[in-house]
Amino acid sequence: MNFRYLPMTKQDKKEMLKTIGVESAEELFSDIPAKIRYKGELQLPLPADETSLLKEMQTLSSNNVNVKELPSFLGAGVYEHYTPAIVDHVIRRSEFYTAYTPYQPEISQGELQAIFEFQTMICELTGMDIANSSMYDGPTALAESALLAAGQSKMKRKKIVVSEAVHPESLHVLETYVSGPGLTVERVPVQKGKTDLSALEKAVDENTAGVIVQYPNFLGSLEDLKTIAEKTHDNNALFIVSSNPLSLGALTPPGEFGADIVVGDAQPFGIPIQMGGPHCGYFATTRKFMRKVPGRLVGQTQDEDGKRGFVLTLQAREQHIRRDKATSNICSNQALNALAAAVAMSALGKKGVRKMAMQNLQNAHYLKMSLKRAGITIIDDQPVFNEFVIKLPGAVREYNKKLFEKDIIGGFDLSEVYENREGQMLVCVTELRTKKEMDHLVKELEVLV
């Protein structure tokens, strides 16, 4: 394979084999018993030159549907939002694009300050005291919150109560995480689009470490955080809220309702859909749990000359202290995506974030009212942020195929994650959807129904 885009030449290969004292690459596998070693040739296409390879990849890429070309009403945890042009410009700067953990503050002040600003803005949105320097994604942050809740009770409390209106994928991640330390997850059912409060009250007891709800929840509805917080704290458990950070530009922050931990995904701010990831989780909590926060914290300090500076602080991860004393084994953070979110929030500003959030509210209300007038049934019609559920007389997947033929990306088929929601579509509408696009969806669904 004598192609220049491949990093290893035939000469490189020859020299490496000579250095380690073998005649061929096959000899490296000689210790593997012959009876289990594959001896044939893999049926792969012949290697291509750079020009041919680029053409092939571009052909494959053109098969993907781009939300920039078709209006999308698909949300369910990953959203298409406006991204200020400056975001891409900043994160492509080499000093940020290739940066890893800023262990050496004397040469990493730019990145450390950017992460510090990210933490600060997350605190302002959530109404919490502190936030970490980001996590892998929202579901990971949610699972870590459950471990903190159990850990602060010194693992005496083993139960995590969680609403079934939390994102299904987050629930799966949570259940995987808690299986290690032997915690149990008790799910609370949904009633009329929101967490069943009577069932929640029965589930929360003296063995409950934490209660987890989502706001807005996976079905788009707004949970009664005040009541849930009271029921949770009456049993001395921690109240954990998973929240879309953009929604907090318009909604009352969970911190004002008494949340102990607020988590979520910063994807709505400056991070593309990019086929579901990578994205950027956030984790915010009260000062009381400062030393139990997973991941990293960037703190503000002064150097010997009295100048403002930034450093990693309160590091209680297993890399720095004894494993049995560590708060988490999280060893990285989504620094580049956290930077993108910080730049996006800074570019929008407080007024811009609120305006963007209000546009989501208004567009969702307009589309919901338009669908109702067209005879489409709204499931559990109540206040929402930018998602709501509609009922269709048939399989959602079939409606989505027909909508796609009309150049529309339809909503999420809830029957994929709930057995009892056949024919129900979760419709998402953000600030990017125009009146013309929403009217087009209504017209096509009206014809199909």
Side-chain angles (χ1 to χ4, degrees):
M1 294 186 290
N2 192 24
F3 301 129
R4 293 186 64 184
Y5 63 84
L6 292 174
M8 186 174 67
T9 66
K10 289 182 179 180
Q11 184 61 33
D12 291 333
K13 183 177 178 181
K14 184 177 180 180
E15 290 176 3
M16 284 190 284
L17 290 172
K18 182 180 179 180
T19 299
I20 61 178
V22 296
E23 295 294 327
S24 66
E26 289 72 22
E27 193 176 338
L28 292 172
F29 302 98
S30 60
D31 289 335
I32 300 175
K35 63 180 180 180
I36 63 172
R37 203 186 316 154
Y38 183 69
K39 298 183 178 61
E41 290 290 329
L42 294 175
Q43 298 303 306
L44 298 174
L46 293 174
D49 59 63
E50 188 171 354
T51 302
S52 300
L53 185 60
L54 283 172
K55 286 182 178 179
E56 181 180 353
M57 298 305 291
Q58 286 166 351
T59 300
L60 291 172
S61 177
S62 65
N63 292 330
N64 292 326
V65 177
N66 193 325
V67 294
K68 303 296 182 185
E69 299 167 359
L70 298 182
S72 173
F73 295 90
L74 179 62
V78 181
Y79 306 97
E80 182 196 7
H81 287 291
Y82 163 69
T83 299
I86 193 175
V87 172
D88 197 47
H89 174 75
V90 172
I91 67 173
R92 286 179 182 271
R93 291 181 61 93
S94 60
E95 60 264 48
F96 291 126
Y97 202 58
T98 60
Y100 182 56
T101 302
Y103 286 124
Q104 296 175 274
E106 63 273 16
I107 61 172
S108 304
Q109 285 300 294
E111 185 182 2
L112 284 165
Q113 181 174 356
I115 294 174
F116 181 82
E117 300 299 348
F118 169 83
Q119 295 175 174
T120 302
M121 288 183 279
I122 291 297
C123 287
E124 290 181 354
L125 282 169
T126 59
M128 305 304 287
D129 298 331
I130 60 168
N132 71 6
S133 65
S134 80
M135 306 190 76
Y136 297 128
D137 52 27
T140 303
L142 183 142
E144 288 283 350
S145 71
L147 298 187
L148 190 156
Q152 69 89 28
S153 73
K154 298 182 179 179
M155 301 304 286
K156 293 179 180 178
R157 295 188 172 211
K158 297 285 188 177
K159 184 166 70 172
I160 303 297
V161 174
V162 58
S163 167
E164 285 199 333
V166 168
H167 197 296
E169 292 177 357
S170 294
L171 291 176
H172 293 322
V173 173
L174 171 66
E175 289 169 344
T176 300
Y177 256 67
V178 302
S179 63
L183 307 180
T184 60
V185 173
E186 183 171 338
R187 297 192 184 195
V188 176
V190 174
Q191 185 179 51
K192 296 182 179 180
K194 296 194 286 189
T195 305
D196 186 332
L197 295 181
S198 61
L200 177 80
E201 188 170 14
K202 293 177 182 177
V204 181
D205 55 26
E206 68 279 357
N207 191 41
T208 302
V211 175
I212 303 175
V213 298
Q214 186 169 319
Y215 170 81
N217 67 30
F218 182 65
L219 301 172
S221 300
L222 306 181
E223 298 282 4
D224 183 354
L225 297 191
K226 185 176 184 296
T227 300
I228 298 173
E230 291 171 354
K231 294 180 184 297
T232 302
H233 292 148
D234 285 346
N235 287 274
N236 297 315
L238 295 191
F239 182 36
I240 301 165
V241 181
S242 174
S243 190
N244 176 340
L246 176 60
S247 72
L248 302 182
L251 305 177
T252 302
E256 294 189 19
F257 290 112
D260 298 295
I261 304 173
V262 184
V263 297
D265 204 304
Q267 184 271 324
F269 289 122
I271 303 173
I273 293 173
Q274 47 200 14
M275 297 185 177
H279 292 151
C280 168
Y282 73 83
F283 189 110
T285 185
T286 60
R287 190 177 297 274
K288 178 181 178 181
F289 302 114
M290 181 186 298
R291 293 184 177 275
K292 298 183 178 182
V293 172
R296 298 185 172 87
L297 288 171
V298 174
Q300 180 176 275
T301 185
Q302 288 185 345
D303 66 13
E304 62 182 7
D305 297 322
K307 294 180 180 179
R308 182 189 189 208
F310 303 91
V311 294
L312 291 179
T313 187
L314 298 177
Q315 299 179 71
R317 299 179 301 112
E318 46 80 22
Q319 276 187 309
H320 302 102
I321 62 176
R322 292 201 308 272
R323 186 180 298 273
D324 59 333
K325 297 288 186 181
T327 59
S328 171
N329 68 349
I330 290 285
C331 296
S332 186
N333 74 302
Q334 290 285 26
L336 189 65
N337 282 333
L339 173 64
V343 174
M345 286 187 279
S346 298
L348 290 166
K350 288 185 177 180
K351 291 182 179 179
V353 169
R354 177 168 176 76
K355 181 179 179 181
M356 191 167 158
M358 291 303 298
Q359 287 175 337
N360 280 255
L361 278 167
Q362 291 161 359
N363 282 0
H365 180 75
Y366 173 79
L367 180 58
K368 188 166 68 168
M369 293 301 103
S370 298
L371 288 169
K372 285 176 70 174
R373 286 193 293 269
I376 307 296
T377 301
I378 308 296
I379 301 293
D380 303 319
D381 191 4
Q382 55 194 321
V384 299
F385 175 59
N386 64 359
E387 289 177 282
F388 55 90
V389 182
I390 63 173
K391 174 66 176 176
L392 299 171
V396 171
R397 66 186 72 87
E398 297 303 321
Y399 282 93
N400 277 337
K401 288 178 183 177
K402 293 172 182 177
L403 288 173
F404 187 68
E405 292 172 0
K406 300 295 183 180
D407 295 332
I408 297 173
I409 300 173
F412 180 71
D413 182 358
L414 287 174
S415 70
E416 292 187 11
V417 291
Y418 298 112
E419 292 180 358
N420 61 342
R421 290 188 178 269
E422 185 69 34
Q424 295 187 22
M425 177 190 287
L426 181 64
V427 178
C428 174
V429 54
T430 71
E431 78 285 349
L432 294 181
R433 295 287 69 82
T434 65
K435 181 177 181 298
K436 181 179 179 181
E437 290 169 342
M438 290 187 281
D439 290 345
H440 182 34
L441 172 68
V442 173
K443 178 182 176 183
E444 295 301 332
L445 280 177
E446 189 175 16
V447 171
L448 292 173
V449 172

